[in-house]
Amino acid sequence: MRIFPILAAIAVSAFMYMAIFEREALLNTLGFNGAPPPSEDTTSLSHVADQSLVKVVVQRSQAKQLDSAIVVRGQTAAARQVAVQAETSAIVISPPLRKGARVAEGETLCKLDLGTRDAQQKEAVARHAEAESRVPEAEARVEEAQARLDETLIKLNAAEKLGEGGFSSQTTLASAEAAVAAARANLSSAQAGLSAARSGIQSADAAVAMANAEIDRLTLKAPFAGLLESDTAELGSLLQKGSICAQVIQLDLIKLVGFVPETEVDHVSLGAPARARLATGDRQMQGKVSFISRASDPSTRTFRIEIDVQNTDLSIRDGQTAEIVIASEGVDAHLLPQSALTLNDEGALGVRLIDDADVVNFAPVELIRDTAEGVWVKGLPQEANVIVLGQEYVTAGVTVIPTYREAIQ
């Protein structure tokens, strides 16, 4: 018959339940919490009551400042990258430079055939000289017209005075006034001619500048020092306007590009130190945050960040995968053994504490970091007495007998 072992197990389970969860009711039933009879030894009853309390191991924990970090995956990107394009159409007359070659800022990448542009420039220069030669002639005409105007004004003045004395006819006075009006019209025409001559110089200046600019476009230069990511245009090839001469990339300063979730972007600040590890070669690098996007990616709801890293030896390539760790503001946290974590009746993660009266209470915590020494949690007061052994056998409001031990170092 197996009924007796089953009944024994049920009886033991019921006793354990009463001893752990209904301790006070059990003590009242046994008479330990009531007034002792006159003949009972009070000291002996007190000793028995103490033996009924659960013994636990407690750790005195002091909060410490924990440096927090945000971990994202990203990739390397060149600080600069540009496709040098032709601004005019012409035949390439320079030999090509091969990809991978270093180029200095302003170094010639492609040189195009001059064609008839030299003749157009000379024509523009000649027209400029012609326009300049017209200015003295126009200025002389203005001076001549001004002199004639002065002369006619003198004659008009004499005619008016003679007319006042009766020595001149009205016809002579009218003729003098007409001569003054013609002189003024001639002066205005001469001044207009001078303005046109000066405008001709400005137009000639523009034509010369355009001719020079068209010739300058025949030499395509590197906008900055870097490496050629492609061969330059082949000798004899025709470059149309907008055709690519070469790809230039700058890698002595490289960027680490990552995307931070919107829940953590507020913890990242410009200038914050960061480190990264490349997926290949396990290389470590350090830099500072140089850019934080103000607009999120509509599809991922993440924010772009960039970190500047020195790469003077050019060993880091564009487009390598990297794991980025960005330092953020520290938090006060406690280092506890992982076994101290427990769940309350609602399923919340936390630890059980004891107060000065050795009464148990539950405190929810938030897990920050898991290490070999233990787990870092936040949400506890600056100083806390945490039950690290026996917490599964007690509930909130229960009095325990604590044994203290040193905190994790």
Side-chain angles (χ1 to χ4, degrees):
M1 296 294 290
R2 296 184 179 180
I3 190 171
F4 295 106
I6 296 175
L7 292 175
I10 294 174
V12 171
S13 299
F15 178 77
M16 292 297 294
Y17 175 81
M18 293 294 295
I20 295 174
F21 297 101
E22 303 292 341
R23 185 180 296 106
E24 293 183 2
L26 179 61
L27 293 177
N28 290 334
T29 303
L30 296 177
F32 290 138
N33 289 349
S39 61
E40 184 174 284
D41 187 356
T42 305
T43 303
S44 176
L45 286 177
S46 176
H47 178 69
V48 172
D50 288 342
Q51 285 184 336
S52 66
L53 299 180
V54 177
K55 294 181 180 180
V56 295
V57 178
V58 177
Q59 174 180 306
R60 289 190 177 97
S61 181
Q62 180 76 30
K64 297 179 181 179
Q65 185 76 13
L66 178 64
D67 292 334
S68 184
I70 298 172
V71 180
V72 296
R73 291 188 65 84
Q75 65 179 17
T76 60
R80 287 174 167 181
Q81 187 170 358
V82 66
V84 180
Q85 296 177 312
E87 297 181 77
T88 187
S89 299
I91 302 294
V92 179
I93 60 174
S94 60
L97 301 176
R98 297 307 176 190
K99 55 187 174 184
R102 289 176 179 262
V103 292
E105 182 179 354
E107 182 177 346
T108 299
L109 302 178
C110 296
K111 190 168 183 62
L112 307 182
D113 183 29
L114 186 62
T116 61
R117 293 174 180 84
D118 184 41
Q120 293 173 356
Q121 182 195 38
K122 290 179 180 179
E123 181 183 2
V125 171
R127 289 182 177 178
H128 183 273
E130 180 183 0
E132 286 184 333
S133 66
R134 291 175 180 173
V135 172
E137 179 183 357
E139 290 176 343
R141 288 178 179 175
V142 170
E143 293 177 356
E144 180 184 0
Q146 183 65 49
R148 288 183 178 178
L149 176 61
D150 294 340
E151 179 184 1
T152 55
L153 288 174
I154 293 173
K155 290 180 178 180
L156 175 61
N157 186 36
E160 289 176 345
K161 289 183 178 180
L162 290 174
E164 291 175 356
F167 299 103
S168 176
S169 64
Q170 291 295 326
T171 304
T172 303
L173 180 59
S175 177
E177 290 176 348
V180 169
R184 284 177 175 168
N186 190 29
L187 177 60
S188 298
S189 178
Q191 289 175 340
L194 179 59
S195 297
R198 289 173 176 170
S199 298
I201 292 178
Q202 293 178 352
S203 178
D205 286 338
V208 171
M210 291 178 62
N212 291 335
E214 184 66 16
I215 292 177
D216 291 339
R217 294 189 184 104
L218 300 177
T219 304
L220 281 69
K221 300 179 179 180
F224 50 81
L227 298 173
L228 287 179
E229 192 66 11
S230 65
D231 294 343
T232 60
E234 186 60 62
L235 175 66
S237 60
L238 173 63
L239 287 187
Q240 300 285 355
K241 186 175 181 180
S243 299
I244 295 178
C245 164
Q247 292 271 1
V248 183
I249 189 171
Q250 185 182 38
L251 292 176
D252 53 355
L253 177 68
I254 204 162
K255 293 182 181 295
L256 298 174
V257 179
F259 293 86
V260 178
E262 59 181 330
T263 55
E264 297 182 343
V265 69
D266 289 339
H267 301 298
V268 182
S269 59
L270 287 175
R275 66 179 186 274
R277 180 176 61 85
L278 295 180
T280 57
D282 199 30
R283 173 169 178 177
Q284 303 285 336
M285 64 192 77
Q286 295 182 347
K288 293 184 177 181
V289 176
S290 59
F291 171 77
I292 304 173
S293 176
R294 292 289 179 179
S296 67
D297 187 308
S299 58
T300 62
R301 308 303 297 173
T302 56
F303 293 81
R304 179 188 176 100
I305 61 164
E306 295 180 1
I307 300 163
D308 290 341
V309 175
Q310 293 297 326
N311 185 33
T312 53
D313 59 354
L314 307 182
S315 59
I316 305 174
R317 295 174 173 82
D318 177 37
Q320 289 186 273
T321 303
E323 185 180 61
I324 307 169
V325 180
I326 307 169
S328 61
E329 295 181 0
V331 294
D332 289 336
H334 290 260
L335 179 60
L336 303 174
Q338 189 172 11
S339 59
L341 300 177
T342 186
L343 299 175
N344 64 3
D345 294 339
E346 288 75 27
L349 180 67
V351 295
R352 289 191 169 93
L353 312 176
I354 63 170
D355 57 17
D356 295 338
D358 297 336
V359 177
V360 178
N361 60 80
F362 179 84
V365 297
E366 180 181 346
L367 184 63
I368 298 177
R369 191 178 302 170
D370 190 358
T371 65
E373 295 78 16
V375 292
W376 288 93
V377 298
K378 69 176 183 178
L380 298 178
Q382 198 71 16
E383 297 181 358
N385 295 325
V386 183
I387 301 177
V388 295
L389 189 60
Q391 70 275 12
E392 298 296 344
Y393 302 102
V394 295
T395 57
V398 174
T399 303
V400 296
I401 301 176
T403 299
Y404 292 91
R405 78 174 189 184
E406 295 296 326
I408 299 175
Q409 299 297 322

